[in-house]
Amino acid sequence: MTTQKTAIVTGSARGIGAAVAKRLAEDGLAVAVLDLTEESGADTVKAITDAGGKAVAIGADVSNEESVNAAVAKVVEELGPPTVVVNNAGILRDNLLFKMSVDDWDAVLGVHLRGAFLVTKAAQKHMVDAGWGRIVNLSSTSALGNRGQANYSAAKAGMQGFTKTLAIELGKFGVTANAIAPGFIETEMTAATAERVGVPFEDFKKAAAAQIPVNRTGVPEDIAHTASFFISEGAGFVSGQVVYVAGGPRD
């Protein structure tokens, strides 16, 4: 009998992160549901355990080194050494450049990029020790540039460079690193964007779908399916890639 693998999914209390956590549990992994507070991850954990999976909620601020190291130590203690990491945690602080505060810049880069760095750094030794690992980083089509998102676009483009470097450095230890760049996905985050621009969410989705070749907007499960592939045994020769899950081609 093979030992159950353990995954850390950051920002997995809701949205894309929750869908990824649930899918990995379905795939047979034990999942650490990492979010800002332990309480916020309770619903995701309940959904997983109710379905017969194994999960624990762990609170951590991914932008804080001590918090991350303590969280990863807790994962090892409660579920076993993590050999799968999905860096999904993210926040929005949208504004045009001339209105964007330094705090808004720092907050977004801190959660996305610093967070991915800290969580991956803390977990990679467990992957190296195991001679097997999977890292999946969440980028975005905004990495190609998006009005009002200088901070978010820079962070998501940075995730791609980070991913490719991890693939180069960790490949010889049996560890792959790939990135998923979602297009329009129906989440609380996109609903908040619609509210910010003053458009009803249904209208916002309809307008987005009209610009997407497959003629629909994405759902969190679309991203979870792609993450499941990257983490699978069969994807061991796929590394350093960025897949745009956006309903059509992106450069």
Side-chain angles (χ1 to χ4, degrees), residues 4 39 67 69 82 84 89 95 189 202 229 248:
Q4 186 175 37
E39 295 72 31
S67 181
N69 289 344
V84 173
N95 227 326
M189 207 179 250
E202 286 308 311
F229 163 70

Side-chain angles (χ1 to χ4, degrees), residues 19-100:
V20 170
K22 291 170 192 172
R23 176 58 188 265
L24 297 190
E26 282 173 29
D27 291 345
L29 284 83
V31 182
V33 175
L34 208 74
D35 216 291
L36 207 46
T37 65
E38 193 176 314
E39 295 72 31
S40 61
D43 288 349
T44 304
V45 169
K46 186 176 187 304
I48 289 170
T49 53
D50 284 356
K54 187 176 182 182
V56 295
I58 293 176
D61 172 0
V62 296
S63 67
N64 180 284
E65 186 179 11
E66 281 181 24
S67 181
V68 167
N69 289 344
V72 172
K74 197 171 180 187
V75 174
V76 174
E77 190 183 312
E78 298 195 16
L79 294 175
T83 54
V84 173
V85 167
V86 180
N87 287 304
N88 166 75
I91 58 169
L92 290 178
R93 295 288 185 273
D94 293 354
N95 227 326
L96 295 174
L97 181 67
F98 78 101
K99 291 183 190 173
M100 188 176 286

